[in-house]
Amino acid sequence: MKIDAVEINNFRNLSRVLMHPAPGVNLLVGKNAQGKTNFLEALYVLANGASFRPARDRDLVQVGQASYLLRGRYRVVEKDFNLTVEFSCKRGKIIRVNDKRSVFHRQNRLQVLLFTPDDLYLVKGPPERRRSFLDLILSQVSAEYEHHLNRFTGTLSRRNNLLKKQQVKGKDFQLLTDMLVQSAVPLVSARINLVNRLETEVASLYHRLTGEQSEIKIRYALSFSPKAGMASAPTISDLLRQALEAAREQELNRRTTLLGPHRDDFNIYLQGSNAKTYGSQGQQRSLAVALKLATMSLFKSLKGYFPVFLLDEVLAELDEQRRRLLLDHLCGAGFQAFLSTVDSSVLTGDRHKIFFISGGSITEEG
Amino acid sequence: MRLARPLEKLISELEKLPGIGPKSAQRLALHILRQAPSEVRELARALVEAREKIRPCSRCGNLTDEDPCWICTDIHRDGSIICVVEEASDVIALERAGYKGKYYVLNQAPRFLESGSLENLNIDRLLRNVVTSQVKEIVLATNPTIDGELTARYIAELAKPVGLRVTRLAHGLPVGGDIEYTDELTLRKALEGRQEI
Ligand SMILES: [Zn+2]
């Protein structure tokens, strides 16, 4: 999937932008607060209909204006699409694919994968970061996963509600527990599957990015069983059911559901030791980069095409050597990438385009 | 801005209706003012009459002006099968899809998170009706939402010991969607493909 034209009107500080990006790497160069992140945000909104930053639609409209309009032309599997996202304070948001009103099915929609400095804490950070990493990619490639995830989350909040009120004797608590287990199974199976596929991919990317030949293992960690992530669907169901049964007393004390996919995690082992605790900061960051890049290739193998890769200020967070290796990889990877950076000299050669962003306007180099 | 008192009152009453915002309320009010007094009296009478004469059927909960309702008393309908729905509007949808059995209308969308319990759904009456009649199968046609499914499972648990066949509308219904807004064909297919639970 590649974007060949972008138009932005009245979005944040970008009054009017017309751009024809390169099919490979696009560098967005500018000082801070000139509009680099706003540009990436516009692409993200174009794809997802909402921002990755906590912002309401009216916050995205340029000060003094009443609406924003985003257009993108992209090509996927030999087909061209025109996508517009239009928001006006009066009429709300309208999304059109090839001039037809589009409701939220993702087919043919622009797909992007975002990489921000926050993602560099993927390995070191708290488990919810890793869970949402898995959920995000799985929801993006499978509407079915998204459905199960919503069902699980809704069931969980109902069950927690009963635990909060200490009402666990009724039929409803039993039924909610059944439904919780049932909706947990497809989530856990899909995540285990994903983690196993990530392992090979991450290992080869990590070796390429660092030159280290360390052995890498990634294991899904169930919150309800020490069996590290090789379980089959019936086993998951039985294990979770029994574990919840056994944890009843504890759940009543803590007034919340203590076991299930919302408490699971995954661990990465470098030469047999957990990178979260024993890895150096450099190793953890390289692993995070490898995880993000691996997601790109997995997306490709599941959907048949690459999403568009958006990297917001990630380069600044990497040391010279890792930055070079990442850029080399991006230049040869075969997907389209947009990178924001303060330094234009990071890239040499001619397989990329450079755009300068200053005060909300964008000019192409040369 | 000040409006004539009666006009203001009319607008504020219309605004209380679902789906009517301030703008539409104003448009409707002005439209009513342009109508002949006889037409407006007709509308007012229809409103009051409908509200006063129509109530839930004491057997099935469907909205009716005679009790029991025309579906409960229709001897040509299949009395061995009873379809449980959330709202009377679902009856209209299933009728359009050609369903020929009887109904049981809960008359309230289950909202588990707010009520925190399933006890106050009027399910007891359903079971009383069922035991004293020739019903052999209960089709659960609650919406495919979490609360709809929870309700369906709850009813199934209560009905199975009585020895009834309990089925649930087959999937193919739009996920998270409402029976009321499902097209006839999809609904007919879902009825045909109903599954034991
Ligand atoms: Zn009736």
Side-chain angles (χ1 to χ4, degrees):
Chain A
M1 178 170 278
K2 286 177 181 177
I3 304 175
D4 64 31
V6 185
E7 183 190 327
I8 300 171
N9 299 282
N10 305 330
F11 185 90
R12 298 262 197 198
N13 76 334
L14 307 168
S15 318
R16 178 150 175 83
V17 172
L18 269 174
M19 180 209 254
H20 293 278
V25 174
N26 294 276
L27 277 186
L28 309 158
V29 183
K31 296 207 184 76
N32 287 330
Q34 299 301 307
K36 293 180 308 237
T37 301
N38 295 348
F39 176 83
L40 295 177
E41 186 181 30
L43 294 185
Y44 191 93
V45 170
L46 203 48
N48 297 299
S51 175
F52 58 86
R53 298 196 273 196
R56 293 166 306 167
D57 277 299
R58 49 181 73 241
D59 304 333
L60 302 177
V61 176
Q62 189 168 29
V63 179
Q65 301 291 332
S67 62
Y68 69 72
L69 171 66
L70 309 172
R71 272 187 225 279
R73 192 173 65 213
Y74 54 95
R75 168 162 267 255
V76 57
V77 219
E78 314 277 299
K79 267 196 235 152
D80 288 312
F81 293 95
N82 282 295
L83 171 64
T84 62
V85 175
E86 195 179 357
F87 172 82
S88 83
C89 299
K90 264 200 188 131
R91 285 174 304 148
K93 190 160 32 192
I94 298 172
I95 300 174
R96 288 192 179 87
V97 179
N98 289 346
D99 291 325
K100 272 203 221 106
R101 278 290 276 271
S102 148
V103 212
F104 271 80
H105 49 92
R106 288 184 187 269
Q107 203 157 19
N108 298 337
R109 285 285 296 277
L110 178 63
Q111 302 265 13
V112 299
L113 188 78
L114 178 71
F115 190 1
T116 71
D118 271 357
D119 292 314
L120 292 169
Y121 296 93
L122 200 50
V123 178
K124 193 185 169 189
E128 59 258 35
R129 207 177 269 275
R130 287 181 289 281
R131 283 193 294 269
S132 60
F133 166 78
L134 299 179
D135 285 343
L136 190 75
I137 166 82
L138 287 165
S139 299
Q140 214 168 353
V141 296
S142 155
E144 204 183 323
Y145 187 88
E146 204 177 13
H147 163 66
H148 289 306
L149 185 61
N150 289 336
R151 224 177 83 113
F152 176 81
T153 315
T155 310
L156 181 67
S157 65
R158 283 161 180 77
R159 191 175 185 274
N160 284 343
N161 202 29
L162 288 183
L163 281 166
K164 205 176 288 162
K165 294 191 292 182
Q166 308 271 295
Q167 292 169 1
V168 299
K169 295 269 185 290
K171 192 115 258 177
D172 39 11
F173 187 76
Q174 191 50 53
L175 291 172
L176 280 167
T177 304
D178 289 348
M179 280 168 70
L180 189 83
V181 172
Q182 263 177 31
S183 54
V185 172
L187 296 188
V188 175
S189 314
R191 287 185 188 171
I192 290 176
N193 210 339
L194 175 64
V195 161
N196 292 342
R197 294 180 75 155
L198 276 172
E199 186 181 76
T200 354
E201 205 62 51
V202 167
S204 86
L205 283 161
Y206 184 84
H207 298 154
R208 219 177 314 153
L209 284 172
T210 61
E212 289 175 32
Q213 286 302 313
S214 339
E215 179 206 48
I216 290 180
K217 291 215 179 308
I218 309 185
R219 291 285 173 271
Y220 192 75
L222 299 165
S223 55
F224 48 92
S225 161
K227 280 192 193 168
M230 285 296 176
S232 67
T235 330
I236 295 166
S237 171
D238 289 347
L239 288 174
L240 181 55
R241 199 180 298 279
Q242 286 157 14
L244 283 171
E245 201 72 52
R248 180 66 49 83
E249 217 37 48
Q250 236 183 320
E251 287 197 321
L252 272 169
N253 287 334
R254 304 274 298 277
R255 294 173 182 243
T256 189
T257 303
L258 294 171
L259 306 167
H262 64 300
R263 294 291 179 100
D264 290 355
D265 196 355
F266 68 84
N267 295 305
I268 305 178
Y269 300 92
L270 270 179
Q271 298 289 76
S273 44
N274 197 330
K276 182 184 170 155
T277 351
Y278 300 105
S280 69
Q281 197 200 41
Q283 287 172 324
Q284 291 171 343
R285 292 191 157 204
S286 299
L287 278 171
V289 174
L291 276 165
K292 274 291 180 181
L293 291 172
T295 319
M296 290 295 288
S297 358
L298 266 182
F299 189 109
K300 162 101 199 254
S301 69
L302 292 168
K303 302 282 279 188
Y305 57 87
F306 283 116
V308 174
F309 203 26
L310 310 178
L311 296 92
D312 188 26
E313 305 291 349
V314 173
L315 295 181
E317 301 285 327
L318 299 175
D319 60 34
E320 179 55 36
Q321 190 205 352
R322 289 191 171 82
R323 190 186 307 161
R324 176 124 321 278
L325 288 161
L326 172 62
L327 285 166
D328 282 349
H329 178 80
L330 293 181
C331 285
F335 52 72
Q336 189 176 36
F338 291 82
L339 296 88
S340 66
T341 170
V342 275
D343 182 8
S344 67
S345 64
V346 290
L347 213 54
T348 48
D350 55 359
R351 297 173 58 197
H352 60 276
K353 280 190 180 179
I354 295 180
F355 299 90
F356 294 102
I357 303 194
S358 169
S361 46
I362 300 187
T363 43
E364 191 179 337
E365 183 198 49
Chain B
M1 189 190 65
R2 227 192 118 247
L3 290 173
R5 195 51 54 81
L7 177 56
E8 204 171 312
K9 170 86 175 136
L10 177 58
I11 294 176
S12 87
E13 287 303 317
L14 288 169
E15 238 188 278
K16 292 181 191 162
L17 298 172
I20 306 281
K23 279 232 170 98
S24 329
Q26 194 182 324
R27 216 178 43 240
L28 286 171
L30 291 173
H31 174 79
I32 289 169
L33 293 187
R34 280 194 296 269
Q35 284 186 305
S38 61
E39 277 182 85
V40 179
R41 223 171 280 126
E42 239 358 84
L43 174 65
R45 197 171 21 235
L47 287 173
V48 174
E49 197 175 284
R51 183 60 192 90
E52 280 177 352
K53 291 204 173 143
I54 292 184
R55 55 197 65 216
C57 167
S58 60
R59 258 190 234 174
C60 74
N62 188 20
L63 295 179
T64 177
D65 58 342
E66 44 194 37
D67 196 9
C69 74
W70 76 97
I71 293 177
C72 285
T73 51
D74 183 349
I75 51 160
H76 300 295
R77 297 188 72 109
D78 184 353
S80 72
I81 174 166
I82 195 162
C83 183
V84 180
V85 296
E86 291 179 9
E87 303 279 1
S89 48
D90 301 333
V91 172
I92 302 171
L94 281 154
E95 284 296 285
R96 260 191 274 120
Y99 171 73
K100 289 282 177 258
K102 306 256 167 146
Y103 291 96
Y104 188 79
V105 187
L106 295 169
N107 271 323
Q108 64 192 115
R111 280 198 191 79
F112 186 76
L113 270 182
E114 279 126 74
S115 64
S117 163
L118 293 168
E119 319 267 293
N120 44 19
L121 284 170
N122 34 23
I123 292 169
D124 296 351
R125 196 179 49 176
L126 164 69
L127 295 174
R128 272 202 310 278
N129 287 0
V130 158
V131 175
T132 58
S133 63
Q134 74 274 48
V135 175
K136 292 193 183 64
E137 176 181 351
I138 295 186
V139 183
L140 298 165
T142 48
N143 287 324
T145 55
I146 293 171
D147 286 333
E149 189 179 335
L150 190 58
T151 307
R153 287 177 183 228
Y154 186 65
I155 296 174
E157 290 269 327
L158 295 174
K160 273 196 176 152
V162 191
L164 292 168
R165 178 174 183 229
V166 183
T167 55
R168 176 113 171 88
L169 282 199
H171 288 282
L173 287 178
V175 172
D178 270 2
I179 304 263
E180 183 184 352
Y181 300 116
T182 307
D183 70 272
E184 291 159 46
L185 187 68
T186 312
L187 202 48
R188 198 174 306 145
K189 287 228 168 89
L191 257 173
E192 284 162 6
R194 63 184 189 269
Q195 294 156 351
E196 307 271 350
I197 70 169

